[in-house]
Each structure stands twice: as structure tokens, then as C-alpha cells.
């Protein structure tokens, strides 16, 4: 089953969040460090799962999010 999950990258001073596409326990694709807002990325991850976004659309949606998409 395909599922999008929020991933966290922690440095000494900040945390940043990205999204991974998983099939079972295997990571198929991920986009790291999209935002320092966990809430924004968690909301985007939830939307991806609710809409059952196909893997071929994942990068396009992230690009839209980074350029002009607001939650």
C-alpha cells in the first residue's frame, strides 16, 4: 500500500521536514527539507494520502507547493 509520510531532518540548530513515498516499509521516493514548518508538511502529507496521489504526480505537486500552493 502506498503511503506518504512526513520525515524530519535535525541539525544542531534547526529541524526541517520533507515527505517520503513508501510502499509497505520501503521508501520509494523522498523529497527532503521542504520546510521548517512541521504543521505545513504534515498537512500536505495528509492531503497527499487523502487524495491517493499517484507516484507519477508526487514531484509535480511538491513543485506546485513550493511555487504557489498554499494550505
Amino acid at each position: 500500500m502506498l503511503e506518504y509520510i512526513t520525515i524530519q531532518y535535525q541539525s544542531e540548530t534547526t529541524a526541517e521536514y520533507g515527505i517520503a513515498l513508501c510502499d509497505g516499509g520501503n521508501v520509494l521516493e523522498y523529497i527532503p527539507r521542504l520546510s521548517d514548518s512541521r504543521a505545513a508538511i504534515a498537512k500536505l502529507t495528509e492531503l497527499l494520502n487523502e487524495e491517493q496521489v499517484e507516484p507519477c504526480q508526487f514531484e509535480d505537486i511538491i513543485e506546485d507547493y513550493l511555487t504557489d500552493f498554499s494550505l
Side-chain angles (χ1 to χ4, degrees):
M1 179 178 145
L2 294 178
E3 177 183 28
Y4 295 93
I5 61 168
T6 301
I7 51 178
Q8 178 178 341
Y9 294 89
Q10 184 73 42
S11 71
E12 290 182 21
T13 57
T14 62
E16 296 177 296
Y17 302 91
I19 299 175
L21 171 60
C22 300
D23 185 7
N26 300 318
V27 174
L28 303 176
E29 187 175 353
Y30 68 96
I31 301 177
R33 297 180 172 97
L34 292 170
S35 174
D36 60 357
S37 171
R38 179 173 177 75
I41 298 304
K43 194 169 188 177
L44 180 57
T45 302
E46 183 180 328
L47 180 64
L48 291 167
N49 284 316
E50 284 177 7
E51 297 299 322
Q52 299 178 351
V53 170
E54 294 293 326
C56 63
Q57 298 173 322
F58 179 43
E59 288 185 17
D60 292 334
I61 290 172
I62 297 303
E63 182 179 340
D64 290 346
Y65 170 78
L66 292 173
T67 56
D68 62 5
F69 187 76
S70 62
L71 296 174

